[in-house]
Amino acid sequence: MNVLRLGPTICRVAAVVFVGLGGIPLANLLAGAPYIPWWSAAVQEWLTVGTAILLVACLLALLGGERLDRWGVRARALVLAPSPGAFAWLVAGAAVVLTLLFAQYCFAREPFSQDEMAQRFHAHLLLHGRLFARSEPHPEFFSATGVLDSGGRFTSQYPIGGPALLAAGMALHAVWLVNPVLTGVTVRNVYRFAAAAYGEALARGATLLLLLSPFVLIMGASEMNHVGALAFATLALAALPAWATAQTAQTARRAAVWIGVGVGGVAMIRPLDAVVLSVVIGAFQLTVVRRQRQLWSSVGVQLAAGVIPIAALLFANARTTGHPFLFAYDVLYGPNERLGFHLDPFGQPHTPVHGLLLASANLMRLDRYLFEWPLPGLLPVVVTLGLVESPTRWDVVLLGTFGLLLVAYALYWFDGFFAGPRFMYSGVPSLVLLAAQAPVLAARRLRGAGRRAVWLIMPLCVVWAWSVPTGTSSVQLRAYFYHAGRTKLKISLAQQLRSAHLPRALVFVHEGWRARLDARLKALGLTPGESEHLLRSSDACQVQEALMREEPLGDTAGRVQRLWAATRPPAPLHAVSGVAAEESVLLAEGRALTPACVQEIAADTVGNAPFPPFLELEGLDATGALGGAIVFARDMGDRNALLADRFPDRIWYRYRSPRYMGDTAAAFVPYQSSSQAH
């Protein structure tokens, strides 16, 4: 296998890349500004606390002597004591419990990001037996980030796999349980792969390291689709050793089925991750079947198994976008959504330099978020790559998976973050399995106290990360960041609705002025990128006035150009004070506000709430249009009268956003001017 002969060289080159992109703040240098603003503080902590950890490890190694060796033997025996089957279930169960605890503490078991909200809505549609709802004649009342409204179809932008997993949880009234269970599946799969590839001792150590990664646990506590993609990816990975070492055709076919299902499952959720996985697995399998030609027939079985979930994905695409290979996010954002170097959907250039910046940013973030250690998280990976003398074929598979993932997302324009560099989440098992080899490889080159110190560094880092509540890197601090953030989302709207016992109603949700402007711009046909570009470079009051002139017009030709011409700011812009960053609007300095703009600003002082979480509560009528007992709509002030004919014979309410945690006042209050609309 030629790649194995080149293995040491490949590993050394990879180590240099990890150091060059993740150990040196290249992203900050390329951006000419602190693109990763916490980097200096993290480096200072690594140099101080990290050095102290190393000194403590050396001191304990010197003082502990042979007693420390005996403790190490006992610890190893304790970890190896359960049978392989028992250990697999123990770590899977621990993963489920830990992620459930994080789900409650960080997110109150509610969706936290727009991605999660959009996919919950999609799951809600699936439970109604539909891939999409019918579009509304006034879409500005119902639109949301990540939701596609095109060609009469109203659904999320995401591939069908992620919403389908959430729908299974919704059917059991436990959608919050889906990702914790999938995290348990991932941990079990990684252990199964590692045990077959590296042996029990390293497999169990690596699995515990994965289990204690805050990146894994916080992501698993969310409802992001990365978790399901990784569970399917590790399902394929876990079956790969069994396939490669199969002694019978039946064993090979059985493993091939799981590989096909795993890769196909990833494709249903995150297609780009599936391409990366299929390229790496395919290349590996080609090298194997060249020597074991009897495995060729199992490859056909694998392809057949993988085609089933992919066929479901293509069918869903055809029904929602009109073409099996056209994804909803491509329709929503336009052709610039795709991979490559070009202007992104927001009009910003995605160049090779920007791609290099994104790759560097992802690695720099992994140094912190992968483990939250007082030492860089990629340091043990670099140590492994620098010390390994004869990398195994499994090392090559792991390194190839992560490397190709890094390159793939460098070609993608968006910089995704959630609990860490979320696009790298599928590569976390590769990093953990490589990192787990570092103390083994280093200990082989040392004797006495040095050898003991090497074995102490990782446990000390883990203890520090989990026990110390402050600092740049801290598991407790990371969890608290999500616990304290976006508190308006951590309320069970379904429970509020059940407690209110509303009659047949139309409920208006007051969202911030920026969100209302954004919804109206998109209703006029602007893409999300065009709308965002307009709002971040224009006077909000001018945008409001332009919308009032444009909305009555039936002529859509030249609409974007007219809006741009009407919203050129006459003076420098400044943000409205007292407004959260994600709700901020800009106003031209010295320009007098119109009464309509004053009214819009004043409306936001009463209190607002994000609209997207309400989408999953929308009912559907028999035709697939929004209906049912309760309909939720974005509060558009005087424009609300437009819905009177669409939803007749309903009592109007406003949703009252809680003013503080624990606010028990009525969530739904009568709409004061509903009589004017009837």
Side-chain angles (χ1 to χ4, degrees):
M1 189 173 179
N2 292 332
V3 72
L4 288 183
R5 296 195 193 102
L6 296 173
T9 301
I10 293 172
C11 288
R12 304 303 183 267
V13 171
V16 171
V17 170
F18 273 88
V19 172
L21 296 184
I24 297 171
L26 185 62
N28 289 350
L29 296 174
L30 292 175
Y35 191 84
I36 307 294
W38 47 260
W39 182 256
S40 295
V43 170
Q44 184 176 356
E45 183 173 271
W46 296 333
L47 291 175
T48 54
V49 180
T51 301
I53 290 287
L54 297 177
L55 292 175
V56 169
C58 292
L59 183 62
L60 290 175
L62 287 170
L63 297 177
E66 293 183 0
R67 185 191 317 171
L68 200 61
D69 292 336
R70 291 193 294 271
W71 288 351
V73 170
R74 291 173 187 169
R76 176 186 170 92
L78 181 64
V79 172
L80 292 175
S83 67
F87 183 84
W89 286 111
L90 281 172
V91 291
V96 173
V97 171
L98 283 172
T99 47
L100 282 174
L101 291 174
F102 274 86
Q104 180 60 46
Y105 179 75
C106 294
F107 309 119
R109 300 189 302 185
E110 296 293 332
F112 188 79
S113 68
Q114 298 276 7
D115 292 19
E116 296 165 272
M117 298 168 198
Q119 289 182 89
R120 270 211 184 192
F121 171 56
H122 201 158
H124 176 65
L125 296 178
L126 294 177
L127 282 186
H128 280 78
R130 306 191 66 88
L131 291 170
F132 54 85
R134 281 175 47 198
S135 294
E136 288 294 320
H138 296 288
E140 64 269 28
F141 289 94
F142 309 99
S143 62
T145 299
V147 173
L148 173 68
D149 191 344
S150 176
R153 300 175 177 91
F154 187 42
T155 187
S156 89
Q157 69 169 3
Y158 299 95
I160 190 68
L165 290 173
L166 295 181
M170 279 186 176
L172 299 173
H173 304 287
V175 66
W176 44 267
L177 187 58
V178 171
N179 276 2
V181 169
L182 290 171
T183 303
V185 170
T186 292
V187 170
R188 186 172 185 271
N189 287 340
V190 170
Y191 164 67
R192 289 175 54 226
F193 166 78
Y198 296 103
E200 282 293 330
L202 191 139
R204 297 192 183 197
T207 303
L208 293 175
L209 203 57
L210 181 72
L211 180 63
L212 294 174
S213 165
F215 187 16
V216 170
L217 294 175
I218 294 175
M219 184 70 84
S222 74
E223 295 175 15
M224 299 289 279
N225 66 6
H226 304 265
V227 181
L230 183 57
F232 277 106
T234 55
L235 180 66
L237 189 66
L240 202 56
W243 176 85
T245 58
Q247 298 300 311
T248 66
Q250 183 179 5
T251 302
R253 286 194 294 269
R254 186 185 306 117
V257 167
W258 289 116
I259 295 170
V261 170
V263 175
V266 179
M268 286 187 70
I269 303 170
R270 300 193 62 80
L272 182 55
D273 291 30
V275 171
V276 169
L277 186 64
S278 61
V279 167
V280 174
I281 289 180
F284 172 82
Q285 289 184 310
L286 284 175
T287 65
V288 174
V289 296
R290 286 174 59 189
R291 292 178 300 169
Q292 299 170 248
R293 297 189 178 277
Q294 71 276 13
L295 294 177
W296 269 116
S297 62
S298 66
V299 174
V301 174
Q302 176 180 314
L303 293 175
V307 161
I308 296 172
I310 292 174
L313 169 68
L314 299 181
F315 172 79
N317 283 351
R319 292 284 294 137
T320 52
T321 68
H323 193 285
F325 293 101
L326 180 62
F327 289 89
Y329 44 72
D330 290 326
V331 177
L332 184 62
Y333 287 98
N336 287 357
E337 157 70 14
R338 300 189 177 184
L339 295 183
F341 299 120
H342 46 62
L343 289 180
D344 70 24
F346 296 90
Q348 301 300 311
H350 178 52
T351 64
V353 171
H354 186 246
L356 188 62
L357 182 151
L358 294 182
S360 174
N362 282 330
L363 291 177
M364 291 168 67
R365 288 166 177 152
L366 284 168
D367 271 326
R368 178 184 180 187
Y369 296 111
L370 181 59
F371 298 123
E372 295 284 353
W373 285 354
L375 287 170
L378 294 181
L379 179 60
V381 178
V382 172
V383 170
T384 295
L385 296 174
L387 295 181
V388 65
E389 295 178 355
S390 300
T392 69
R393 56 182 177 175
W394 304 116
D395 294 330
V396 174
V397 167
L398 296 175
L399 187 57
T401 300
F402 184 81
L404 193 54
L405 192 72
L406 187 68
V407 171
Y409 280 103
L411 293 172
Y412 186 55
W413 55 273
F414 187 65
D415 187 5
F417 184 91
F418 187 98
R422 62 186 178 94
F423 292 153
M424 298 296 102
Y425 187 71
S426 292
V428 166
S430 297
L431 295 177
V432 170
L433 288 169
L434 290 170
Q437 299 178 55
V440 178
L441 295 171
R444 288 175 183 169
R445 296 171 177 246
L446 298 169
R447 294 290 181 270
R451 180 186 177 92
R452 298 183 190 106
V454 163
W455 285 110
L456 285 171
I457 293 172
M458 278 192 179
L460 288 174
C461 284
V462 170
V463 170
W464 181 275
W466 280 81
S467 61
V468 177
T470 59
T472 302
S473 297
S474 163
V475 176
Q476 293 184 44
L477 189 65
R478 180 63 37 218
Y480 181 76
F481 171 83
Y482 289 99
H483 172 76
R486 308 190 76 179
T487 55
K488 289 182 180 180
L489 299 175
K490 295 169 183 175
I491 297 165
S492 175
L493 299 176
Q495 180 59 47
Q496 286 186 325
L497 188 59
R498 286 192 295 268
S499 300
H501 302 293
L502 296 182
R504 189 171 174 81
L506 177 60
V507 178
F508 290 96
V509 180
H510 185 80
E511 208 169 21
W513 187 19
R514 181 189 179 90
R516 300 195 298 275
L517 291 174
D518 183 51
R520 293 171 70 179
L521 288 169
K522 291 175 182 175
L524 290 180
L526 274 69
T527 67
E530 291 170 337
S531 176
E532 174 66 20
H533 194 188
L534 189 70
L535 289 174
R536 69 186 180 195
S537 58
S538 303
D539 179 313
C541 197
Q542 284 185 302
V543 175
Q544 177 90 5
E545 294 168 356
L547 284 168
M548 294 172 67
R549 291 191 298 270
E550 193 69 35
E551 283 166 334
L553 302 179
D555 179 21
T556 60
R559 175 169 279 167
V560 175
Q561 291 76 10
R562 290 196 300 272
L563 285 169
W564 272 113
T567 56
R568 290 173 182 163
L573 299 171
H574 66 88
V576 176
S577 60
V579 179
E582 65 271 16
E583 300 171 354
S584 64
V585 293
L586 302 175
L587 296 175
E589 294 180 3
R591 185 174 187 270
L593 297 178
T594 65
C597 294
V598 172
Q599 183 179 354
E600 294 289 350
I601 295 174
D604 283 359
T605 63
V606 177
N608 54 58
F611 176 72
F614 290 87
L615 280 174
E616 67 169 291
L617 302 178
E618 301 278 18
L620 299 179
D621 64 21
T623 68
L626 299 185
I630 313 294
V631 172
F632 294 91
R634 181 178 283 107
D635 189 352
M636 289 290 187
D638 293 341
R639 292 178 57 80
N640 291 348
L642 294 171
L643 297 184
D645 292 334
R646 171 68 182 87
F647 299 104
D649 304 321
R650 292 175 183 267
I651 300 176
W652 286 18
Y653 290 86
R654 289 186 191 274
Y655 176 72
R656 176 190 172 278
S657 177
R659 287 161 174 75
Y660 53 87
M661 290 297 290
D663 185 357
T664 58
F668 302 95
V669 297
Y671 189 101
Q672 296 300 322
S673 56
S674 62
S675 59
Q676 299 173 7
H678 290 284

